[in-house]
Amino acid sequence: MEKRQFQTESKKLLDMMINSIYTHREIFLRELISNASDAIDKRYFRSLTDTESGLPREEYEISLSVDKDAGTLTVSDNGCGMSAQELENNLGTIAKSGSQDFKTENNSDTVDIIGQFGVGFYSAFMVADKVTVTSKVYGADKAYRWESEGVDGYTLEECEKETVGTEIVLHIKPDTEEEDYCEYLDQYSLQRLVKKYSDYIHYPIRMDFETEKPVEGDSGKTEKVIERRTLNSITPIWKKPASEVTEEEYKNFYSSKYYDYEAPLKTLHYKQEGTVEYTALLFIPSHAPFDYYSKSYEKGLTLYSSGVMIMDRCADMLPDYFSFVKGLIDSSDISLNISRETLQQDYQLRTIAKAVEKKIKNELAKLMETDREKYETFFKAFGSQLKYGVYSDYGAHKELLQDLIMFISSNEMKYVTLKEYVGRMPEGQKSIYYACGDTPEKALRLPQAAAVKEKGYEILLLSEDIDEFTLQTLMNYEDKKFVNVSTDELDLATEDENKKLEKENESGKELLDFIKESVGGLNSVKFSNTLGGHPAALSSEGGMSIEMARVLSKMPDAGEGLKASLVLEINSSHAVTEKIKALYESDKEKCKKYCKLLYAQARLLSGLEIEDAEEFTSLVSELMV
Ligand code: ADP
Ligand code: MG
């Protein structure tokens, strides 16, 4: 028979997976059982509209059987089955979810290969050296067998199978020094694995169990009996009262469903009663999934109608700013034949989605209050998403989100909320100040930030692209305006100081014009009294700050117009300014050079590149000799 090749990417991945020292080999069983359960879900759901194709609900089962002599473990189900084409498509290609990403990720040894790349089925090769899948779909007269010994490829042929569904035979590997594969042929181990990873599966997982029973009438003697046992407790975890579910069970459910070995940061399990009734089991992961900030990430909650899964990952159930939440909603109020198209019009669903959103918000606010450390962990992972949420939809959600966001503060470089910031503003402080930089430390190094700090005011240190847009969208918080320290909005000085400055600017107009001319590209040059000990700094006039212009110009469709109107501020009381004033009178050529140097320094401090590096270095060299 012709041996077909796996797609190249699949081959590499498969090879990696089989040969990598993977500490969680045992999860292959969970993966196969999950697939079986999904397949039954599909068949059951289909049978609701097409009564022909189904079985009575109680007849669905997942079955495990062991043949010790042959060294095989078989996992079978009476789910939807796979056609020849499906066997080829589903099992012949791995890494649908992006082999490229895989390559960049695979250096970290904790990476959850299985889950992240949709390769659950292939985990079978971690324990088996040959896998045979026999499958038949409803209504077909033919069944097909797919068989593979790993990377070399696979075969696909027609075969006999009486019942609809899928049977997977694993030829378990021989034991090695490091690994006892024989445990996967042991009924007690298998029972333990089912309990550990698949207890929540809501179809029975059954296995013939061999036990010793006392022989009736003959005391002391025992005989071998085989009894069929159901290994899982079947009741879906979310249907149990929260008080009866252990942390361990939540964690297992979470990691098997959402492919994350780290425990969730927070689990929300509650039953809502009232006009619409539903049960929710929601998780907030403790770290962002590898693809979270990319287009390939799909948000959503799974929808169940009285225990029957009707939609996987329903995006409409979660707003974008809470897209990190994983979980499910089960409600008898959701109609069974809802489709993705009719979803948005469904009143019940919209009501549930609103309630879920509110719940998540309240729980996050509570977490912030009660466990700040945990909240900060959460915020490090998903804070950008919340800040983006404030900005998006023209600020429509800002009320909801503004108290959930935090920024690093100049105050000990710790996170601060807007409420905390305003709450500890000293008397006399009019605005909420912020500074932008690549890192919070760099933002704090801006000359204008130094001046604000000298005044005893706290500064929000913005270092993410979205940050300033978020604050611009908020505009103010509790009537306090947000002010970027390196713009003309900085309002630190007293009226008297400003009057004095105005006079200086008027009398120094000739020099200031000369500087503007010498440097070029500036909107204006003026004396400043808010630069701390620095000789000069850049700021902007008008709505576009230096930082915003920088962020916007990185966008793919950025036009030329995205420039900040630059202002060179010169410290009126700095020795360098005195020197420039003197040179202006005595040596205009030299004065011009000094102006250029001053401007270059200011650019550097603002995180901008020096426009003409060659000119700059030769000017510095000239100074040095
Ligand atoms: P995932 O479950 O993440 O899609 P898997 O590698 O576990 O990835 O499975 C690949 C696909 O193979 C499944 O999506 C499903 O379509 C199909 N499949 C696997 N096992 C079964 C089964 N027991 N019955 C029917 N289809 C299955
Ligand atoms: Mg799977």
Side-chain angles (χ1 to χ4, degrees), residues 31-40 42 75-77 79-82 86-87 89-91 93-97 114-115 117-123 133 135 137 165-168 259 313:
E31 294 300 323
L32 298 184
I33 289 175
S34 291
N35 285 351
S37 169
D38 289 349
I40 297 177
K42 282 181 203 157
V75 182
S76 50
D77 64 70
C80 62
M82 281 176 275
E86 284 167 333
L87 281 165
N89 289 350
N90 297 338
L91 310 183
T93 326
I94 333 182
K96 298 171 285 234
S97 22
I114 309 288
F117 302 97
V119 294
F121 168 76
Y122 292 90
S123 61
V133 182
S135 200
V137 294
T166 303
E167 183 188 270
I168 301 176
Y259 310 121
R313 230 176 281 153

